[in-house]
PDB file of all heavy atoms in Angstrom:
ATOM      1  N   ARG A 165      14.978  10.102 -17.222  1.00 97.00           N
ATOM      2  CA  ARG A 165      15.131  11.184 -16.194  1.00 97.00           C
ATOM      3  C   ARG A 165      14.354  12.471 -16.510  1.00 97.00           C
ATOM      4  O   ARG A 165      14.656  13.553 -15.990  1.00 97.00           O
ATOM      5  CB  ARG A 165      16.598  11.511 -15.964  1.00 97.00           C
ATOM      6  CG  ARG A 165      17.382  10.363 -15.471  1.00 97.00           C
ATOM      7  CD  ARG A 165      18.846  10.667 -15.185  1.00 97.00           C
ATOM      8  NE  ARG A 165      19.556   9.578 -14.647  1.00 97.00           N
ATOM      9  CZ  ARG A 165      20.294   8.768 -15.432  1.00 97.00           C
ATOM     10  NH1 ARG A 165      20.378   8.946 -16.731  1.00 97.00           N
ATOM     11  NH2 ARG A 165      20.929   7.723 -14.897  1.00 97.00           N
ATOM     12  N   ALA A 166      13.304  12.427 -17.342  1.00 96.00           N
ATOM     13  CA  ALA A 166      12.566  13.630 -17.781  1.00 96.00           C
ATOM     14  C   ALA A 166      11.978  14.388 -16.587  1.00 96.00           C
ATOM     15  O   ALA A 166      11.957  15.587 -16.598  1.00 96.00           O
ATOM     16  CB  ALA A 166      11.479  13.189 -18.729  1.00 96.00           C
ATOM     17  N   PHE A 167      11.553  13.659 -15.593  1.00 95.00           N
ATOM     18  CA  PHE A 167      10.905  14.323 -14.415  1.00 95.00           C
ATOM     19  C   PHE A 167      11.583  13.948 -13.096  1.00 95.00           C
ATOM     20  O   PHE A 167      11.043  14.152 -12.057  1.00 95.00           O
ATOM     21  CB  PHE A 167       9.398  13.948 -14.382  1.00 95.00           C
ATOM     22  CG  PHE A 167       8.703  14.346 -15.625  1.00 95.00           C
ATOM     23  CD1 PHE A 167       8.387  13.390 -16.636  1.00 95.00           C
ATOM     24  CD2 PHE A 167       8.247  15.619 -15.798  1.00 95.00           C
ATOM     25  CE1 PHE A 167       7.741  13.777 -17.778  1.00 95.00           C
ATOM     26  CE2 PHE A 167       7.578  15.991 -16.959  1.00 95.00           C
ATOM     27  CZ  PHE A 167       7.318  15.075 -17.946  1.00 95.00           C
ATOM     28  N   GLU A 168      12.746  13.446 -13.187  1.00 96.00           N
ATOM     29  CA  GLU A 168      13.517  13.060 -11.988  1.00 96.00           C
ATOM     30  C   GLU A 168      13.563  14.183 -10.967  1.00 96.00           C
ATOM     31  O   GLU A 168      13.789  15.322 -11.323  1.00 96.00           O
ATOM     32  CB  GLU A 168      14.963  12.571 -12.311  1.00 96.00           C
ATOM     33  CG  GLU A 168      15.733  12.082 -11.151  1.00 96.00           C
ATOM     34  CD  GLU A 168      17.118  11.603 -11.556  1.00 96.00           C
ATOM     35  OE1 GLU A 168      17.638  12.017 -12.579  1.00 96.00           O
ATOM     36  OE2 GLU A 168      17.712  10.907 -10.713  1.00 96.00           O
ATOM     37  N   ASP A 169      13.267  13.886  -9.670  1.00 95.00           N
ATOM     38  CA  ASP A 169      13.376  14.798  -8.583  1.00 95.00           C
ATOM     39  C   ASP A 169      12.285  15.933  -8.683  1.00 95.00           C
ATOM     40  O   ASP A 169      12.385  16.958  -8.003  1.00 95.00           O
ATOM     41  CB  ASP A 169      14.746  15.493  -8.462  1.00 95.00           C
ATOM     42  CG  ASP A 169      15.794  14.505  -8.016  1.00 95.00           C
ATOM     43  OD1 ASP A 169      15.502  13.736  -7.113  1.00 95.00           O
ATOM     44  OD2 ASP A 169      16.882  14.559  -8.582  1.00 95.00           O
ATOM     45  N   CYS A 170      11.190  15.705  -9.398  1.00 93.00           N
ATOM     46  CA  CYS A 170      10.180  16.705  -9.556  1.00 93.00           C
ATOM     47  C   CYS A 170       9.124  16.502  -8.450  1.00 93.00           C
ATOM     48  O   CYS A 170       8.134  15.780  -8.653  1.00 93.00           O
ATOM     49  CB  CYS A 170       9.519  16.622 -10.910  1.00 93.00           C
ATOM     50  SG  CYS A 170       8.381  18.008 -11.185  1.00 93.00           S
ATOM     51  N   ASP A 171       9.383  17.079  -7.280  1.00 92.00           N
ATOM     52  CA  ASP A 171       8.524  16.893  -6.111  1.00 92.00           C
ATOM     53  C   ASP A 171       7.146  17.644  -6.308  1.00 92.00           C
ATOM     54  O   ASP A 171       6.234  17.377  -5.596  1.00 92.00           O
ATOM     55  CB  ASP A 171       9.206  17.491  -4.897  1.00 92.00           C
ATOM     56  CG  ASP A 171      10.416  16.596  -4.487  1.00 92.00           C
ATOM     57  OD1 ASP A 171      10.428  15.403  -4.857  1.00 92.00           O
ATOM     58  OD2 ASP A 171      11.258  17.103  -3.824  1.00 92.00           O
ATOM     59  N   LEU A 172       7.050  18.461  -7.315  1.00 91.00           N
ATOM     60  CA  LEU A 172       5.766  19.130  -7.611  1.00 91.00           C
ATOM     61  C   LEU A 172       4.696  18.106  -8.034  1.00 91.00           C
ATOM     62  O   LEU A 172       3.500  18.287  -7.684  1.00 91.00           O
ATOM     63  CB  LEU A 172       6.012  20.114  -8.767  1.00 91.00           C
ATOM     64  CG  LEU A 172       4.785  20.638  -9.515  1.00 91.00           C
ATOM     65  CD1 LEU A 172       4.128  21.690  -8.681  1.00 91.00           C
ATOM     66  CD2 LEU A 172       5.147  21.159 -10.869  1.00 91.00           C
ATOM     67  N   LEU A 173       5.068  17.065  -8.759  1.00 94.00           N
ATOM     68  CA  LEU A 173       4.103  16.127  -9.318  1.00 94.00           C
ATOM     69  C   LEU A 173       3.383  15.299  -8.240  1.00 94.00           C
ATOM     70  O   LEU A 173       3.992  14.710  -7.333  1.00 94.00           O
ATOM     71  CB  LEU A 173       4.778  15.168 -10.292  1.00 94.00           C
ATOM     72  CG  LEU A 173       5.337  15.811 -11.521  1.00 94.00           C
ATOM     73  CD1 LEU A 173       5.990  14.715 -12.411  1.00 94.00           C
ATOM     74  CD2 LEU A 173       4.250  16.518 -12.326  1.00 94.00           C
ATOM     75  N   ARG A 174       2.066  15.234  -8.370  1.00 96.00           N
ATOM     76  CA  ARG A 174       1.251  14.411  -7.498  1.00 96.00           C
ATOM     77  C   ARG A 174       0.517  13.316  -8.297  1.00 96.00           C
ATOM     78  O   ARG A 174       0.308  12.226  -7.714  1.00 96.00           O
ATOM     79  CB  ARG A 174       0.219  15.269  -6.776  1.00 96.00           C
ATOM     80  CG  ARG A 174       0.831  16.344  -5.940  1.00 96.00           C
ATOM     81  CD  ARG A 174      -0.010  16.814  -4.777  1.00 96.00           C
ATOM     82  NE  ARG A 174       0.503  17.911  -4.056  1.00 96.00           N
ATOM     83  CZ  ARG A 174       1.588  17.877  -3.296  1.00 96.00           C
ATOM     84  NH1 ARG A 174       2.322  16.797  -3.179  1.00 96.00           N
ATOM     85  NH2 ARG A 174       2.048  18.975  -2.614  1.00 96.00           N
ATOM     86  N   SER A 175       0.208  13.606  -9.523  1.00 96.00           N
ATOM     87  CA  SER A 175      -0.362  12.519 -10.366  1.00 96.00           C
ATOM     88  C   SER A 175      -0.012  12.759 -11.810  1.00 96.00           C
ATOM     89  O   SER A 175       0.255  13.844 -12.270  1.00 96.00           O
ATOM     90  CB  SER A 175      -1.904  12.502 -10.199  1.00 96.00           C
ATOM     91  OG  SER A 175      -2.486  13.619 -10.845  1.00 96.00           O
ATOM     92  N   VAL A 176       0.033  11.566 -12.555  1.00 96.00           N
ATOM     93  CA  VAL A 176       0.415  11.593 -13.962  1.00 96.00           C
ATOM     94  C   VAL A 176      -0.538  10.766 -14.749  1.00 96.00           C
ATOM     95  O   VAL A 176      -0.845   9.650 -14.334  1.00 96.00           O
ATOM     96  CB  VAL A 176       1.878  11.041 -14.169  1.00 96.00           C
ATOM     97  CG1 VAL A 176       2.202  10.945 -15.645  1.00 96.00           C
ATOM     98  CG2 VAL A 176       2.882  11.927 -13.447  1.00 96.00           C
ATOM     99  N   LYS A 177      -1.005  11.326 -15.841  1.00 95.00           N
ATOM    100  CA  LYS A 177      -1.821  10.612 -16.778  1.00 95.00           C
ATOM    101  C   LYS A 177      -1.040  10.467 -18.074  1.00 95.00           C
ATOM    102  O   LYS A 177      -0.705  11.538 -18.640  1.00 95.00           O
ATOM    103  CB  LYS A 177      -3.165  11.239 -17.072  1.00 95.00           C
ATOM    104  CG  LYS A 177      -4.051  10.451 -17.997  1.00 95.00           C
ATOM    105  CD  LYS A 177      -5.397  11.082 -18.181  1.00 95.00           C
ATOM    106  CE  LYS A 177      -6.196  10.229 -19.148  1.00 95.00           C
ATOM    107  NZ  LYS A 177      -7.462  10.891 -19.497  1.00 95.00           N
ATOM    108  N   VAL A 178      -0.716   9.267 -18.467  1.00 95.00           N
ATOM    109  CA  VAL A 178       0.076   9.052 -19.664  1.00 95.00           C
ATOM    110  C   VAL A 178      -0.796   8.935 -20.899  1.00 95.00           C
ATOM    111  O   VAL A 178      -1.662   8.067 -20.924  1.00 95.00           O
ATOM    112  CB  VAL A 178       0.981   7.760 -19.463  1.00 95.00           C
ATOM    113  CG1 VAL A 178       1.812   7.511 -20.668  1.00 95.00           C
ATOM    114  CG2 VAL A 178       1.858   7.916 -18.246  1.00 95.00           C
ATOM    115  N   GLY A 179      -0.531   9.767 -21.859  1.00 93.00           N
ATOM    116  CA  GLY A 179      -1.304   9.839 -23.109  1.00 93.00           C
ATOM    117  C   GLY A 179      -1.418   8.536 -23.868  1.00 93.00           C
ATOM    118  O   GLY A 179      -0.548   7.648 -23.762  1.00 93.00           O
ATOM    119  N   LYS A 180      -2.418   8.444 -24.769  1.00 94.00           N
ATOM    120  CA  LYS A 180      -2.661   7.197 -25.457  1.00 94.00           C
ATOM    121  C   LYS A 180      -1.634   6.759 -26.489  1.00 94.00           C
ATOM    122  O   LYS A 180      -1.603   5.636 -26.880  1.00 94.00           O
ATOM    123  CB  LYS A 180      -4.070   7.280 -26.107  1.00 94.00           C
ATOM    124  CG  LYS A 180      -4.116   8.285 -27.335  1.00 94.00           C
ATOM    125  CD  LYS A 180      -5.507   8.252 -27.895  1.00 94.00           C
ATOM    126  CE  LYS A 180      -5.545   9.185 -29.125  1.00 94.00           C
ATOM    127  NZ  LYS A 180      -6.831   9.196 -29.677  1.00 94.00           N
ATOM    128  N   ASN A 181      -0.780   7.670 -26.951  1.00 96.00           N
ATOM    129  CA  ASN A 181       0.252   7.273 -27.892  1.00 96.00           C
ATOM    130  C   ASN A 181       1.602   6.850 -27.281  1.00 96.00           C
ATOM    131  O   ASN A 181       2.478   6.458 -27.943  1.00 96.00           O
ATOM    132  CB  ASN A 181       0.474   8.361 -28.926  1.00 96.00           C
ATOM    133  CG  ASN A 181      -0.708   8.553 -29.886  1.00 96.00           C
ATOM    134  OD1 ASN A 181      -1.403   7.568 -30.181  1.00 96.00           O
ATOM    135  ND2 ASN A 181      -0.936   9.787 -30.281  1.00 96.00           N
ATOM    136  N   ILE A 182       1.727   7.094 -25.994  1.00 97.00           N
ATOM    137  CA  ILE A 182       2.989   6.800 -25.284  1.00 97.00           C
ATOM    138  C   ILE A 182       3.190   5.263 -25.254  1.00 97.00           C
ATOM    139  O   ILE A 182       2.326   4.536 -24.810  1.00 97.00           O
ATOM    140  CB  ILE A 182       2.975   7.331 -23.823  1.00 97.00           C
ATOM    141  CG1 ILE A 182       2.792   8.854 -23.810  1.00 97.00           C
ATOM    142  CG2 ILE A 182       4.254   6.913 -23.134  1.00 97.00           C
ATOM    143  CD1 ILE A 182       3.949   9.662 -24.316  1.00 97.00           C
ATOM    144  N   THR A 183       4.345   4.838 -25.785  1.00 97.00           N
ATOM    145  CA  THR A 183       4.659   3.393 -25.741  1.00 97.00           C
ATOM    146  C   THR A 183       5.828   3.114 -24.800  1.00 97.00           C
ATOM    147  O   THR A 183       6.043   1.961 -24.506  1.00 97.00           O
ATOM    148  CB  THR A 183       5.017   2.898 -27.158  1.00 97.00           C
ATOM    149  OG1 THR A 183       6.143   3.676 -27.677  1.00 97.00           O
ATOM    150  CG2 THR A 183       3.856   3.049 -28.140  1.00 97.00           C
ATOM    151  N   LYS A 184       6.587   4.155 -24.412  1.00 97.00           N
ATOM    152  CA  LYS A 184       7.795   3.875 -23.593  1.00 97.00           C
ATOM    153  C   LYS A 184       7.995   4.980 -22.550  1.00 97.00           C
ATOM    154  O   LYS A 184       7.892   6.179 -22.823  1.00 97.00           O
ATOM    155  CB  LYS A 184       9.016   3.903 -24.486  1.00 97.00           C
ATOM    156  CG  LYS A 184      10.300   3.650 -23.741  1.00 97.00           C
ATOM    157  CD  LYS A 184      11.518   3.720 -24.636  1.00 97.00           C
ATOM    158  CE  LYS A 184      12.808   3.581 -23.894  1.00 97.00           C
ATOM    159  NZ  LYS A 184      13.951   3.709 -24.755  1.00 97.00           N
ATOM    160  N   ILE A 185       8.212   4.478 -21.336  1.00 98.00           N
ATOM    161  CA  ILE A 185       8.638   5.332 -20.173  1.00 98.00           C
ATOM    162  C   ILE A 185      10.103   5.072 -19.992  1.00 98.00           C
ATOM    163  O   ILE A 185      10.505   3.966 -19.683  1.00 98.00           O
ATOM    164  CB  ILE A 185       7.848   5.036 -18.896  1.00 98.00           C
ATOM    165  CG1 ILE A 185       6.356   5.108 -19.069  1.00 98.00           C
ATOM    166  CG2 ILE A 185       8.312   5.970 -17.775  1.00 98.00           C
ATOM    167  CD1 ILE A 185       5.788   6.494 -19.309  1.00 98.00           C
ATOM    168  N   GLY A 186      10.976   6.073 -20.134  1.00 98.00           N
ATOM    169  CA  GLY A 186      12.386   5.916 -20.050  1.00 98.00           C
ATOM    170  C   GLY A 186      12.916   5.654 -18.680  1.00 98.00           C
ATOM    171  O   GLY A 186      12.219   5.830 -17.669  1.00 98.00           O
ATOM    172  N   LYS A 187      14.162   5.197 -18.637  1.00 98.00           N
ATOM    173  CA  LYS A 187      14.854   4.854 -17.386  1.00 98.00           C
ATOM    174  C   LYS A 187      14.856   6.048 -16.428  1.00 98.00           C
ATOM    175  O   LYS A 187      15.150   7.162 -16.850  1.00 98.00           O
ATOM    176  CB  LYS A 187      16.321   4.481 -17.748  1.00 98.00           C
ATOM    177  CG  LYS A 187      17.159   4.106 -16.569  1.00 98.00           C
ATOM    178  CD  LYS A 187      18.527   3.740 -17.042  1.00 98.00           C
ATOM    179  CE  LYS A 187      19.425   3.338 -15.882  1.00 98.00           C
ATOM    180  NZ  LYS A 187      20.785   2.995 -16.348  1.00 98.00           N
ATOM    181  N   GLU A 188      14.420   5.791 -15.199  1.00 98.00           N
ATOM    182  CA  GLU A 188      14.409   6.770 -14.136  1.00 98.00           C
ATOM    183  C   GLU A 188      13.600   8.049 -14.460  1.00 98.00           C
ATOM    184  O   GLU A 188      13.816   9.136 -13.914  1.00 98.00           O
ATOM    185  CB  GLU A 188      15.839   7.192 -13.721  1.00 98.00           C
ATOM    186  CG  GLU A 188      16.659   6.016 -13.229  1.00 98.00           C
ATOM    187  CD  GLU A 188      18.133   6.321 -12.928  1.00 98.00           C
ATOM    188  OE1 GLU A 188      18.561   7.463 -13.222  1.00 98.00           O
ATOM    189  OE2 GLU A 188      18.749   5.431 -12.309  1.00 98.00           O
ATOM    190  N   ALA A 189      12.624   7.904 -15.320  1.00 98.00           N
ATOM    191  CA  ALA A 189      11.833   9.041 -15.795  1.00 98.00           C
ATOM    192  C   ALA A 189      11.150   9.832 -14.664  1.00 98.00           C
ATOM    193  O   ALA A 189      11.086  11.044 -14.664  1.00 98.00           O
ATOM    194  CB  ALA A 189      10.776   8.603 -16.796  1.00 98.00           C
ATOM    195  N   PHE A 190      10.647   9.110 -13.658  1.00 97.00           N
ATOM    196  CA  PHE A 190       9.964   9.722 -12.544  1.00 97.00           C
ATOM    197  C   PHE A 190      10.634   9.425 -11.196  1.00 97.00           C
ATOM    198  O   PHE A 190      10.052   9.579 -10.102  1.00 97.00           O
ATOM    199  CB  PHE A 190       8.510   9.287 -12.455  1.00 97.00           C
ATOM    200  CG  PHE A 190       7.727   9.712 -13.665  1.00 97.00           C
ATOM    201  CD1 PHE A 190       7.527   8.888 -14.791  1.00 97.00           C
ATOM    202  CD2 PHE A 190       7.134  10.987 -13.735  1.00 97.00           C
ATOM    203  CE1 PHE A 190       6.841   9.317 -15.844  1.00 97.00           C
ATOM    204  CE2 PHE A 190       6.412  11.400 -14.799  1.00 97.00           C
ATOM    205  CZ  PHE A 190       6.259  10.599 -15.890  1.00 97.00           C
ATOM    206  N   LYS A 191      11.909   9.030 -11.264  1.00 98.00           N
ATOM    207  CA  LYS A 191      12.671   8.684 -10.041  1.00 98.00           C
ATOM    208  C   LYS A 191      12.706   9.887  -9.044  1.00 98.00           C
ATOM    209  O   LYS A 191      12.881  10.979  -9.460  1.00 98.00           O
ATOM    210  CB  LYS A 191      14.116   8.318 -10.428  1.00 98.00           C
ATOM    211  CG  LYS A 191      14.958   7.979  -9.252  1.00 98.00           C
ATOM    212  CD  LYS A 191      16.362   7.657  -9.743  1.00 98.00           C
ATOM    213  CE  LYS A 191      17.260   7.402  -8.515  1.00 98.00           C
ATOM    214  NZ  LYS A 191      18.683   7.435  -8.883  1.00 98.00           N
ATOM    215  N   ASP A 192      12.471   9.482  -7.806  1.00 97.00           N
ATOM    216  CA  ASP A 192      12.611  10.488  -6.712  1.00 97.00           C
ATOM    217  C   ASP A 192      11.562  11.640  -6.831  1.00 97.00           C
ATOM    218  O   ASP A 192      11.783  12.776  -6.299  1.00 97.00           O
ATOM    219  CB  ASP A 192      13.964  11.095  -6.579  1.00 97.00           C
ATOM    220  CG  ASP A 192      15.022  10.063  -6.104  1.00 97.00           C
ATOM    221  OD1 ASP A 192      14.615   9.191  -5.286  1.00 97.00           O
ATOM    222  OD2 ASP A 192      16.155  10.098  -6.567  1.00 97.00           O
ATOM    223  N   CYS A 193      10.426  11.421  -7.424  1.00 96.00           N
ATOM    224  CA  CYS A 193       9.286  12.363  -7.392  1.00 96.00           C
ATOM    225  C   CYS A 193       8.526  11.999  -6.131  1.00 96.00           C
ATOM    226  O   CYS A 193       7.552  11.236  -6.117  1.00 96.00           O
ATOM    227  CB  CYS A 193       8.430  12.179  -8.619  1.00 96.00           C
ATOM    228  SG  CYS A 193       9.216  12.702 -10.175  1.00 96.00           S
ATOM    229  N   ASP A 194       8.980  12.567  -4.973  1.00 95.00           N
ATOM    230  CA  ASP A 194       8.508  12.150  -3.658  1.00 95.00           C
ATOM    231  C   ASP A 194       7.009  12.235  -3.468  1.00 95.00           C
ATOM    232  O   ASP A 194       6.507  11.461  -2.612  1.00 95.00           O
ATOM    233  CB  ASP A 194       9.233  13.045  -2.650  1.00 95.00           C
ATOM    234  CG  ASP A 194      10.760  12.857  -2.613  1.00 95.00           C
ATOM    235  OD1 ASP A 194      11.197  11.797  -3.059  1.00 95.00           O
ATOM    236  OD2 ASP A 194      11.407  13.741  -2.054  1.00 95.00           O
ATOM    237  N   ASN A 195       6.330  13.067  -4.155  1.00 96.00           N
ATOM    238  CA  ASN A 195       4.910  13.244  -3.952  1.00 96.00           C
ATOM    239  C   ASN A 195       4.020  12.584  -5.013  1.00 96.00           C
ATOM    240  O   ASN A 195       2.775  12.717  -4.952  1.00 96.00           O
ATOM    241  CB  ASN A 195       4.547  14.759  -3.820  1.00 96.00           C
ATOM    242  CG  ASN A 195       5.278  15.378  -2.658  1.00 96.00           C
ATOM    243  OD1 ASN A 195       5.138  14.901  -1.535  1.00 96.00           O
ATOM    244  ND2 ASN A 195       5.981  16.444  -2.893  1.00 96.00           N
TER     245      ASN A 195
END
Side-chain angles (χ1 to χ4, degrees):
R165 298 183 180 96
F167 300 99
E168 183 178 19
D169 293 317
C170 187
D171 292 335
L172 163 79
L173 294 180
R174 299 205 186 294
S175 71
V176 174
K177 181 177 179 185
V178 178
K180 69 179 183 180
N181 290 328
I182 302 289
T183 59
K184 178 182 177 184
I185 305 290
K187 181 179 179 180
E188 300 176 351
F190 295 95
K191 179 183 174 191
D192 293 324
C193 292
D194 296 340
N195 297 308

